[in-house]
Amino acid sequence: MTANPLREKAERLRALHAGPRILVLCNVWDAASARIVEEVGFPALATTSAGIANSLGYADGQRISRTEMAEAVARITRAVAVPVTADMEAGYGPTPESAAETARAAIAAGAVGMNLEDALEERNFIDINLQCDRVRAAREAGEQAGVPLVINARTDVYLAGIGSPAEQFAEAIRRANAYREAGADCLFLPGATDAAVIARLVREVNGPINILAGPPTPPVGELERMGVRRVSMGSGPMRATMALMQRIARELAESGAYTSFTRGAISYAEANRLFSGRDVEP
Amino acid sequence: MTANPLREKAERLRALHAGPRILVLCNVWDAASARIVEEVGFPALATTSAGIANSLGYADGQRISRTEMAEAVARITRAVAVPVTADMEAGYGPTPESAAETARAAIAAGAVGMNLEDALEERNFIDINLQCDRVRAAREAGEQAGVPLVINARTDVYLAGIGSPAEQFAEAIRRANAYREAGADCLFLPGATDAAVIARLVREVNGPINILAGPPTPPVGELERMGVRRVSMGSGPMRATMALMQRIARELAESGAYTSFTRGAISYAEANRLFSGRDVEP
């Protein structure tokens, strides 16, 4: 009997949420960014839905199809050996079956983890009980495929910013703990950036939490000391490279110099070496 | 009778080779880099085969298939309104028919210009008469499709570096002028970086020439004054962004700070604005 090779990768990714070290995810959007982050030594990779959408010509927010997103994830998983968790937005549909279908697509693309959001568009939240059914459906789809998919259940409560800080906190806890009860492995709370709030979330969420990094967020070491188990960068790295491209194009247009794209660039040989011998890998 | 909308774009791209201003191409590899360069105000875009290959998980040099390359080009042309010229390497095959098939694939992908190289691998040059047949075949395929494809015939003589400088110059001129005679619109001589050599190429090539920019190459304004009609950046901008991703990942791994990916990054809203209303565009 041949074991599904993704099973071991899923367990490896799950174990990285058990502490004491925090899991740091430097989100990637294509095979090049994925290989670079892998080579720096990160033990797992996460995709950014916004970065993938932009690279393929879409705005973020499920404007891309499930199929096109899964194809992008597959190009990334084919390029690397480490476990990959895929940002599959809100699962490309409102039902438990759409969440299950998205879990199957993520696994078929070679991912062993998946984000599942609880708002279809900004501030359009999915009923908490329905979202729990969706978490269960995604988990069961993984089990049926022989892959214990690591589910990162995201609540958009802090991004939506509805109500007072106390109301937001209460709703975030209510949703996170319900998703945990339904089988989520990790609870993702983007928009929670204040150290005191994060410390309370660590105490009151009954499972590992994922914080989104950004200028106002405590640095990685501080999050780790607070007990946060996972920190991700979202589309930040992709947007930084887009800004560099803007500076390169502006320099060319304005002064005709080549400094911005040659200073510190990796060589042509080094770029290609990242992909040597990778043509035929599954 | 409806004119092929690509016909006008092809003529617009061709006219940009007529001087007196030099055509500056800040090469792109995905829809995001394409939209950024378009927004900065460039009148045309060129793709980089190495950048596209790396972003999809391949080393450069025709390891990617013609189909996958054309799909990447199509994602770029769908995202922008300006004319796009596609780096289609050596045409994915050694025959005139393979060059014609590649021209048809480029046009089907929405491109109105195409690079065609004369070496299948490094230093494995295609016979000059066969390459002339291939240039003619690509041009005829465009005419049959109703698109006067702008053919940028590339000779790898300077990249290969075989023989003395005088021999390289003679062979470069011989090939460039033969390709021009066969119908090429522009002659691309990557590896020619010395100002004196470039000045002689301008005088002795019977058509517009394309120089590849890099640290040793004269800046855009100087190339323009010398009579160079087109300058492109190759995979330089993509490799600069790969290097930024490396710095971002290293900073996260080493210090846990977020400076490299937040300083100067474009906002999430700005990134998505680049693609607003572009979902259904052909």
Side-chain angles (χ1 to χ4, degrees):
Chain A
M1 190 185 153
T2 308
N4 188 328
L6 292 183
R7 172 178 286 281
E8 181 276 325
K9 275 193 182 175
E11 293 301 1
R12 195 162 9 130
L13 176 61
R14 181 169 284 105
L16 291 167
H17 292 73
R21 300 308 305 267
I22 191 169
L23 170 59
V24 182
L25 295 165
C26 183
N27 301 66
V28 303
W29 59 93
D30 64 7
S33 53
R35 281 289 293 127
I36 285 167
V37 175
E38 181 184 42
E39 282 241 322
V40 169
F42 285 84
L45 299 182
T47 66
T48 157
S49 69
I52 288 176
N54 291 173
S55 76
L56 298 175
Y58 302 95
D60 192 29
Q62 303 202 131
R63 284 170 182 87
I64 193 173
S65 69
R66 177 194 288 134
T67 301
E68 207 171 348
M69 180 59 82
E71 286 169 355
V73 171
R75 288 192 288 268
I76 289 166
T77 66
R78 274 196 296 268
V80 298
V82 295
V84 175
T85 176
D87 180 352
M88 301 301 280
E89 311 197 59
Y92 306 102
T95 62
E97 178 47 31
S98 61
E101 186 62 33
T102 298
R104 286 190 285 272
I107 291 168
V112 295
M114 178 176 116
N115 282 11
L116 188 64
E117 303 169 5
D118 66 357
L120 289 173
E121 300 105 28
E122 210 178 337
R123 301 184 162 204
N124 179 10
F125 280 86
I126 297 168
D127 171 81
I128 186 168
N129 294 315
L130 175 58
Q131 184 65 1
C132 287
D133 286 345
R134 284 158 46 85
V135 168
R136 275 187 284 269
R139 154 147 254 113
E140 281 164 20
E143 279 159 17
Q144 281 163 17
V147 179
L149 197 62
V150 178
I151 296 180
N152 191 38
R154 165 173 149 172
T155 179
D156 282 11
V157 167
Y158 278 102
L159 292 180
I162 303 169
S164 69
E167 284 166 333
Q168 288 175 40
F169 185 82
E171 181 66 5
I173 292 293
R174 188 172 81 96
R175 285 186 169 261
N177 283 335
Y179 304 159
R180 176 64 170 172
E181 187 73 25
D185 295 283
C186 189
L187 295 312
F188 184 22
L189 300 130
T193 57
D194 178 78
V197 169
I198 293 170
R200 283 188 65 201
L201 289 169
V202 169
R203 283 196 300 274
E204 300 199 26
V205 173
N206 302 322
I209 74 166
N210 181 171
I211 293 297
L212 180 66
T217 316
V220 170
E222 192 175 328
L223 292 176
E224 182 175 272
R225 282 189 293 278
M226 292 163 68
V228 173
R229 290 290 166 82
R230 170 168 165 166
V231 57
S232 50
M233 311 302 137
S235 60
M238 170 59 165
R239 289 186 282 104
T241 69
M242 289 169 76
L244 173 57
M245 189 62 174
Q246 199 174 51
R247 292 192 295 275
I248 289 168
R250 284 179 179 159
E251 180 190 49
L252 269 176
E254 289 162 13
S255 79
Y258 311 133
T259 313
S260 304
F261 79 83
T262 55
R263 190 180 46 200
I266 69 174
S267 71
Y268 175 79
E270 171 73 6
N272 284 318
R273 188 195 57 73
L274 290 169
F275 303 99
S276 59
R278 293 197 167 258
D279 298 2
V280 294
E281 272 200 12
Chain B
M1 188 185 153
T2 308
N4 187 328
L6 292 184
R7 171 179 286 281
E8 180 275 327
K9 275 192 182 175
E11 293 301 0
R12 194 162 10 131
L13 175 62
R14 181 169 283 105
L16 291 167
H17 293 74
R21 301 309 305 266
I22 191 170
L23 170 59
V24 182
L25 295 166
C26 183
N27 300 66
V28 302
W29 58 93
D30 64 6
S33 53
R35 280 290 293 129
I36 286 167
V37 175
E38 182 186 40
E39 281 242 323
V40 169
F42 285 84
L45 299 182
T47 66
T48 156
S49 69
I52 288 176
N54 291 173
S55 75
L56 299 176
Y58 301 95
D60 192 28
Q62 303 203 128
R63 284 170 182 86
I64 192 173
S65 69
R66 177 194 287 133
T67 301
E68 208 171 347
M69 181 60 83
E71 287 170 354
V73 171
R75 289 191 287 268
I76 289 166
T77 66
R78 275 196 295 267
V80 297
V82 293
V84 175
T85 176
D87 180 351
M88 300 300 280
E89 311 198 60
Y92 307 101
T95 61
E97 178 48 31
S98 61
E101 185 63 35
T102 298
R104 286 190 286 271
I107 291 167
V112 295
M114 177 175 117
N115 281 12
L116 187 64
E117 302 170 6
D118 65 357
L120 288 171
E121 301 104 28
E122 210 179 337
R123 299 183 164 206
N124 177 12
F125 280 87
I126 297 169
D127 170 81
I128 186 170
N129 294 315
L130 176 57
Q131 184 65 3
C132 287
D133 287 346
R134 285 158 45 83
V135 168
R136 275 187 284 269
R139 152 146 255 113
E140 281 164 19
E143 279 160 17
Q144 281 163 18
V147 179
L149 197 62
V150 178
I151 296 179
N152 191 37
R154 165 173 148 172
T155 178
D156 281 11
V157 167
Y158 278 102
L159 292 180
I162 301 169
S164 67
E167 286 166 333
Q168 287 175 40
F169 185 82
E171 181 66 5
I173 293 293
R174 190 174 78 96
R175 285 187 170 261
N177 283 335
Y179 305 159
R180 174 65 170 171
E181 188 72 24
D185 295 283
C186 188
L187 295 313
F188 183 23
L189 298 131
T193 57
D194 178 78
V197 169
I198 292 170
R200 283 189 65 202
L201 289 168
V202 169
R203 283 195 301 274
E204 300 199 25
V205 174
N206 301 323
I209 73 165
N210 181 173
I211 293 296
L212 180 66
T217 316
V220 170
E222 193 176 329
L223 292 175
E224 182 174 272
R225 281 188 294 276
M226 293 162 67
V228 172
R229 290 289 166 81
R230 170 167 165 166
V231 57
S232 50
M233 311 302 137
S235 58
M238 170 58 165
R239 289 186 283 103
T241 69
M242 289 168 76
L244 173 57
M245 189 61 174
Q246 199 173 50
R247 292 193 296 274
I248 289 169
R250 285 179 178 159
E251 180 189 49
L252 267 177
E254 289 162 13
S255 79
Y258 311 132
T259 313
S260 304
F261 79 84
T262 56
R263 189 181 47 200
I266 69 174
S267 71
Y268 176 80
E270 172 72 6
N272 285 318
R273 188 195 57 73
L274 290 169
F275 302 99
S276 59
R278 291 194 170 262
D279 298 2
V280 293
E281 270 200 13

